[in-house]
Short mmCIF file of all heavy atoms in Angstrom, two decimals:
data_model
loop_
_atom_site.label_atom_id
_atom_site.label_comp_id
_atom_site.label_asym_id
_atom_site.label_seq_id
_atom_site.Cartn_x
_atom_site.Cartn_y
_atom_site.Cartn_z
N LEU A 288 17.18 -200.71 179.21
CA LEU A 288 16.38 -200.07 178.16
C LEU A 288 17.29 -199.53 177.06
O LEU A 288 16.97 -199.61 175.87
CB LEU A 288 15.54 -198.92 178.74
CG LEU A 288 14.26 -199.30 179.45
CD1 LEU A 288 13.65 -198.07 180.13
CD2 LEU A 288 13.27 -199.91 178.48
N ALA A 289 18.43 -199.00 177.46
CA ALA A 289 19.39 -198.49 176.48
C ALA A 289 19.84 -199.62 175.56
O ALA A 289 19.93 -199.43 174.34
CB ALA A 289 20.58 -197.85 177.19
N LEU A 290 20.13 -200.77 176.13
CA LEU A 290 20.55 -201.91 175.31
C LEU A 290 19.46 -202.34 174.34
O LEU A 290 19.76 -202.70 173.19
CB LEU A 290 20.97 -203.08 176.20
CG LEU A 290 22.26 -202.88 177.00
CD1 LEU A 290 22.46 -204.01 178.00
CD2 LEU A 290 23.46 -202.72 176.08
N GLU A 291 18.21 -202.28 174.76
CA GLU A 291 17.10 -202.62 173.86
C GLU A 291 17.06 -201.66 172.67
O GLU A 291 16.80 -202.08 171.54
CB GLU A 291 15.77 -202.58 174.61
CG GLU A 291 15.60 -203.71 175.60
CD GLU A 291 14.30 -203.60 176.39
OE1 GLU A 291 13.36 -202.89 175.95
OE2 GLU A 291 14.23 -204.22 177.47
N GLN A 292 17.31 -200.38 172.92
CA GLN A 292 17.30 -199.40 171.83
C GLN A 292 18.45 -199.66 170.87
O GLN A 292 18.31 -199.52 169.65
CB GLN A 292 17.38 -197.96 172.37
CG GLN A 292 16.40 -197.59 173.47
CD GLN A 292 15.02 -198.16 173.33
OE1 GLN A 292 14.35 -197.92 172.33
NE2 GLN A 292 14.57 -198.90 174.33
N LEU A 293 19.60 -200.06 171.42
CA LEU A 293 20.73 -200.40 170.56
C LEU A 293 20.43 -201.62 169.71
O LEU A 293 20.88 -201.70 168.55
CB LEU A 293 22.00 -200.62 171.40
CG LEU A 293 22.57 -199.37 172.06
CD1 LEU A 293 23.77 -199.73 172.93
CD2 LEU A 293 22.93 -198.31 171.03
N ASN A 294 19.67 -202.56 170.24
CA ASN A 294 19.26 -203.72 169.44
C ASN A 294 18.42 -203.28 168.25
O ASN A 294 18.58 -203.80 167.14
CB ASN A 294 18.48 -204.72 170.29
CG ASN A 294 19.35 -205.43 171.30
OD1 ASN A 294 20.58 -205.46 171.18
ND2 ASN A 294 18.72 -205.99 172.33
N MET A 295 17.54 -202.30 168.48
CA MET A 295 16.72 -201.76 167.38
C MET A 295 17.63 -201.13 166.32
O MET A 295 17.47 -201.39 165.13
CB MET A 295 15.73 -200.72 167.90
CG MET A 295 14.68 -201.27 168.85
SD MET A 295 13.61 -202.50 168.07
CE MET A 295 12.78 -201.48 166.86
N ALA A 296 18.56 -200.30 166.76
CA ALA A 296 19.46 -199.61 165.83
C ALA A 296 20.33 -200.62 165.07
O ALA A 296 20.52 -200.51 163.86
CB ALA A 296 20.33 -198.62 166.59
N GLU A 297 20.83 -201.60 165.80
CA GLU A 297 21.72 -202.59 165.19
C GLU A 297 20.99 -203.43 164.14
O GLU A 297 21.60 -203.87 163.15
CB GLU A 297 22.30 -203.49 166.28
CG GLU A 297 23.53 -204.23 165.86
CD GLU A 297 24.22 -204.87 167.05
OE1 GLU A 297 23.53 -205.48 167.90
OE2 GLU A 297 25.45 -204.76 167.12
N GLY A 298 19.70 -203.62 164.33
CA GLY A 298 18.90 -204.33 163.34
C GLY A 298 18.85 -203.61 162.00
O GLY A 298 18.63 -204.21 160.96
N MET A 299 19.08 -202.30 162.02
CA MET A 299 19.06 -201.50 160.80
C MET A 299 20.47 -201.18 160.29
O MET A 299 20.65 -200.87 159.12
CB MET A 299 18.32 -200.19 161.06
CG MET A 299 16.83 -200.38 161.31
SD MET A 299 16.05 -198.82 161.73
CE MET A 299 15.78 -199.06 163.48
N ASP A 300 21.44 -201.22 161.18
CA ASP A 300 22.82 -200.88 160.82
C ASP A 300 23.76 -201.68 161.71
O ASP A 300 24.14 -201.24 162.79
CB ASP A 300 23.06 -199.37 161.00
CG ASP A 300 24.43 -198.92 160.53
OD1 ASP A 300 25.24 -199.77 160.11
OD2 ASP A 300 24.70 -197.70 160.59
N SER A 301 24.13 -202.85 161.24
CA SER A 301 24.91 -203.77 162.08
C SER A 301 26.40 -203.45 162.12
O SER A 301 27.14 -204.11 162.84
CB SER A 301 24.70 -205.20 161.61
OG SER A 301 25.18 -205.32 160.27
N ASN A 302 26.84 -202.46 161.37
CA ASN A 302 28.27 -202.14 161.32
C ASN A 302 28.48 -200.67 161.69
O ASN A 302 29.11 -199.92 160.96
CB ASN A 302 28.81 -202.44 159.92
CG ASN A 302 30.31 -202.60 159.91
OD1 ASN A 302 30.88 -203.11 160.87
ND2 ASN A 302 30.94 -202.15 158.85
N ASN A 303 27.94 -200.27 162.84
CA ASN A 303 27.96 -198.87 163.26
C ASN A 303 28.86 -198.73 164.49
O ASN A 303 28.59 -199.32 165.54
CB ASN A 303 26.53 -198.41 163.56
CG ASN A 303 26.42 -196.95 163.87
OD1 ASN A 303 27.08 -196.44 164.77
ND2 ASN A 303 25.54 -196.27 163.14
N SER A 304 29.89 -197.93 164.36
CA SER A 304 30.86 -197.74 165.44
C SER A 304 30.21 -197.14 166.69
O SER A 304 30.56 -197.53 167.81
CB SER A 304 31.99 -196.83 164.95
OG SER A 304 32.91 -196.59 165.97
N LEU A 305 29.29 -196.22 166.50
CA LEU A 305 28.66 -195.57 167.65
C LEU A 305 27.80 -196.56 168.45
O LEU A 305 27.77 -196.51 169.67
CB LEU A 305 27.83 -194.37 167.19
CG LEU A 305 27.37 -193.40 168.25
CD1 LEU A 305 28.51 -192.95 169.16
CD2 LEU A 305 26.70 -192.20 167.60
N ILE A 306 27.13 -197.46 167.75
CA ILE A 306 26.33 -198.49 168.44
C ILE A 306 27.26 -199.36 169.30
O ILE A 306 26.97 -199.62 170.47
CB ILE A 306 25.54 -199.35 167.43
CG1 ILE A 306 24.45 -198.51 166.74
CG2 ILE A 306 24.92 -200.56 168.14
CD1 ILE A 306 23.78 -199.21 165.58
N CYS A 307 28.37 -199.78 168.71
CA CYS A 307 29.33 -200.61 169.47
C CYS A 307 29.90 -199.84 170.65
O CYS A 307 30.06 -200.40 171.74
CB CYS A 307 30.45 -201.10 168.55
SG CYS A 307 29.88 -202.23 167.28
N TYR A 308 30.24 -198.56 170.41
CA TYR A 308 30.76 -197.74 171.51
C TYR A 308 29.76 -197.67 172.66
O TYR A 308 30.12 -197.90 173.82
CB TYR A 308 31.10 -196.32 171.03
CG TYR A 308 31.11 -195.36 172.19
CD1 TYR A 308 32.13 -195.42 173.15
CD2 TYR A 308 30.05 -194.48 172.39
CE1 TYR A 308 32.10 -194.60 174.26
CE2 TYR A 308 30.03 -193.65 173.51
CZ TYR A 308 31.05 -193.72 174.44
OH TYR A 308 31.00 -192.92 175.55
N LEU A 309 28.51 -197.33 172.35
CA LEU A 309 27.51 -197.19 173.42
C LEU A 309 27.30 -198.52 174.15
O LEU A 309 27.16 -198.54 175.37
CB LEU A 309 26.19 -196.69 172.85
CG LEU A 309 26.11 -195.19 172.62
CD1 LEU A 309 24.83 -194.83 171.86
CD2 LEU A 309 26.18 -194.43 173.93
N ARG A 310 27.30 -199.61 173.39
CA ARG A 310 27.14 -200.92 174.03
C ARG A 310 28.31 -201.16 174.99
O ARG A 310 28.13 -201.63 176.10
CB ARG A 310 27.05 -202.02 172.97
CG ARG A 310 26.49 -203.31 173.49
CD ARG A 310 26.29 -204.34 172.40
NE ARG A 310 25.29 -204.02 171.40
CZ ARG A 310 23.98 -204.16 171.58
NH1 ARG A 310 23.51 -204.61 172.72
NH2 ARG A 310 23.14 -203.87 170.61
N GLY A 311 29.51 -200.80 174.58
CA GLY A 311 30.68 -200.94 175.45
C GLY A 311 30.59 -200.05 176.67
O GLY A 311 30.90 -200.47 177.79
N ASN A 312 30.15 -198.82 176.47
CA ASN A 312 29.99 -197.87 177.57
C ASN A 312 28.98 -198.40 178.59
O ASN A 312 29.21 -198.34 179.80
CB ASN A 312 29.55 -196.51 177.02
CG ASN A 312 29.31 -195.49 178.10
OD1 ASN A 312 28.27 -195.50 178.74
ND2 ASN A 312 30.27 -194.59 178.28
N ILE A 313 27.88 -198.93 178.10
CA ILE A 313 26.83 -199.46 178.98
C ILE A 313 27.35 -200.69 179.74
O ILE A 313 27.11 -200.83 180.94
CB ILE A 313 25.55 -199.77 178.17
CG1 ILE A 313 24.93 -198.45 177.68
CG2 ILE A 313 24.56 -200.58 179.01
CD1 ILE A 313 23.90 -198.62 176.58
N MET A 314 28.07 -201.56 179.04
CA MET A 314 28.64 -202.74 179.71
C MET A 314 29.59 -202.30 180.83
O MET A 314 29.60 -202.88 181.91
CB MET A 314 29.37 -203.63 178.71
CG MET A 314 28.49 -204.37 177.74
SD MET A 314 27.40 -205.56 178.55
CE MET A 314 25.82 -204.87 178.15
N ALA A 315 30.37 -201.26 180.57
CA ALA A 315 31.28 -200.74 181.60
C ALA A 315 30.48 -200.21 182.79
O ALA A 315 30.84 -200.48 183.95
CB ALA A 315 32.16 -199.64 181.02
#
Side-chain angles (χ1 to χ4, degrees):
L288 281 172
L290 291 171
E291 289 176 20
Q292 310 321 302
L293 291 177
N294 290 341
M295 295 297 295
E297 199 168 44
M299 292 176 253
D300 185 357
S301 62
N302 200 35
N303 186 304
S304 178
L305 194 51
I306 293 170
C307 294
Y308 158 71
L309 279 172
R310 197 175 294 281
N312 178 282
I313 292 164
M314 290 295 117

